[in-house]
């Protein structure tokens, strides 16, 4: 059974969903991906965990008082901490994919006692790459393309520059009105803050919880794969390999959940 809830956060309201009744709370998150994208994965995990998914601030059901406010990993991390307070959870396991993995890293840095294990799946931390200046310029080009030519052109540029070739990375051919709105917000108010986030490696290493970097088995050559390798190197760990590509949890939810359970129990 899935229950839906609304939580007041700084500057807005957060939509979240709860599945399962396991003793261990597991927060599953993306950014800009809304909770709906993680529903199959959450269902596959609900037998073992109390799985909590949410729409990131400004996305889908999580509305902001100021729609023009930029979304940063720090703001999103504080939202997750507030969500844990609402759940009555002093700590939790966290799975974050893409921008959600960046949120998770910010959560560990800002609220280290709240995270037992963070699985950071393909965080697009472009500042960790040796060609960071070029990557930064590429993101600027995506944003400028969005403002100049619109969402479809921006997505095409985004996919090409990130090295994505699979069908799980962008909206469908005819996105819903809500998905289109979420995509517009991503390009206008989120992509820069997420990709330019620089994790506090010293704080991450000092945190009491465990951090596991995840990569997709089919993601080689993409920028999130490269950034994940860089992050794992800085943390002195070896990445865990998950099924599929950057959106493997969409295409292979059952297999993905099985690997995630093993990683969390490790």
């Amino acid at each position: 059974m899935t229950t839906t809830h609304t939580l007041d956060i700084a500057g807005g309201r957060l939509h979240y969903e709860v599945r399962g009744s396991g003793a261990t709370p597991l927060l599953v998150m993306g950014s800009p991906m809304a909770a709906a994208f993680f529903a199959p994965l959450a269902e596959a995990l609900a037998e073992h965990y109390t799985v909590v998914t949410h729409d990131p601030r400004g996305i889908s059901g999580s509305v902001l008082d100021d729609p023009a406010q930029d979304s940063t990993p720090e703001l999103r991390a504080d939202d997750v901490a507030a969500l844990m307070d609402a759940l009555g959870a002093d700590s939790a396991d966290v799975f974050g994919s893409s921008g959600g993995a960046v949120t998770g890293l910010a959560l560990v840095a800002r609220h280290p006692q709240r995270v037992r294990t963070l699985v950071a799946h393909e965080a697009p931390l472009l500042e960790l790459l040796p060609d960071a200046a070029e990557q930064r310029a590429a993101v600027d080009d995506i944003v400028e393309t969005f403002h100049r030519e619109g969402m479809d052109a921006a997505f095409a540029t985004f996919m090409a520059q990130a090295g994505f070739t699979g069908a799980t990375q962008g909206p469908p051919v005819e996105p819903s009105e809500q998905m289109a709105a979420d995509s517009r917000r991503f390009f206008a108010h989120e992509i820069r803050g997420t990709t330019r986030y620089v994790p506090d490696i010293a704080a991450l290493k000092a945190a009491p919880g465990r951090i596991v970097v995840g990569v997709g088995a089919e993601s080689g050559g993409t920028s999130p794969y490269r950034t994940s390798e860089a992050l794992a190197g800085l943390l002195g760990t070896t990445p865990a390999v998950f099924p599929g590509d950057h959106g493997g949890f969409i295409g292979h939810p059952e297999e993905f959940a099985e690997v995630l359970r093993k990683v969390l129990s490790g």
Side-chain angles (χ1 to χ4, degrees):
M1 184 180 75
T2 303
T3 59
T4 62
H5 310 266
T6 301
L7 172 68
D8 288 336
I9 55 173
R13 287 157 298 286
L14 197 74
H15 168 88
Y16 69 97
E17 301 173 0
V18 182
R19 291 174 174 84
S21 57
T24 303
L26 172 61
L27 278 60
V28 173
M29 66 190 72
S31 187
M33 282 185 167
F37 285 92
F38 295 92
L41 177 63
E43 292 288 348
L45 292 163
E47 181 181 351
H48 302 276
Y49 304 92
T50 295
V51 185
V52 184
T53 57
H54 71 279
D55 297 340
R57 58 170 43 229
I59 296 296
S60 196
S62 293
V63 297
L64 294 176
D65 298 335
D66 176 12
Q69 182 190 51
D70 288 339
S71 176
T72 67
E74 293 87 355
L75 281 171
R76 299 196 301 268
D78 290 348
D79 291 345
V80 175
L83 176 55
M84 294 174 67
D85 290 340
L87 295 167
D90 292 332
S91 62
D93 291 329
V94 177
F95 169 78
S97 186
S98 194
V102 182
T103 303
L105 293 166
L107 178 66
V108 173
R110 294 170 71 82
H111 307 278
Q113 303 298 326
R114 308 299 299 266
V115 181
R116 289 196 293 265
T117 297
L118 166 67
V119 180
H121 178 257
E122 300 210 350
L125 301 166
L126 299 182
E127 295 296 321
L128 300 186
L129 297 178
D131 57 345
E134 295 176 18
Q135 296 289 337
R136 204 177 306 127
V139 171
D140 287 341
D141 180 53
I142 292 168
V143 175
E144 291 162 7
T145 298
F146 166 71
H147 288 297
R148 185 178 63 248
E149 302 176 36
M151 183 184 68
D152 290 345
F155 250 115
T157 304
F158 168 69
M159 297 276 283
Q161 291 182 351
F164 294 144
T165 58
T168 61
Q169 314 310 329
V173 176
E174 296 182 3
S176 68
E177 182 177 343
Q178 183 61 63
M179 290 180 66
D182 292 347
S183 296
R184 289 192 293 269
R185 174 163 179 80
F186 171 60
F187 291 122
H189 298 291
E190 188 169 321
I191 187 172
R192 277 193 174 116
T194 295
T195 58
R196 293 184 182 180
Y197 180 75
V198 178
D200 186 336
I201 300 299
L204 297 178
K205 286 184 172 181
R210 187 168 59 110
I211 298 176
V212 179
V213 177
V215 295
E218 301 172 15
S219 293
T222 64
S223 56
Y225 189 95
R226 295 173 58 212
T227 56
S228 295
E229 287 189 316
L231 175 63
L234 290 170
L235 294 174
T237 63
T238 301
V241 180
F242 285 81
D245 56 12
H246 190 63
F249 56 90
I250 298 173
H252 312 277
E254 295 287 344
E255 298 91 337
F256 202 101
E258 182 179 354
V259 174
L260 181 55
R261 286 197 299 269
K262 290 178 181 178
V263 169
L264 290 172
S265 64

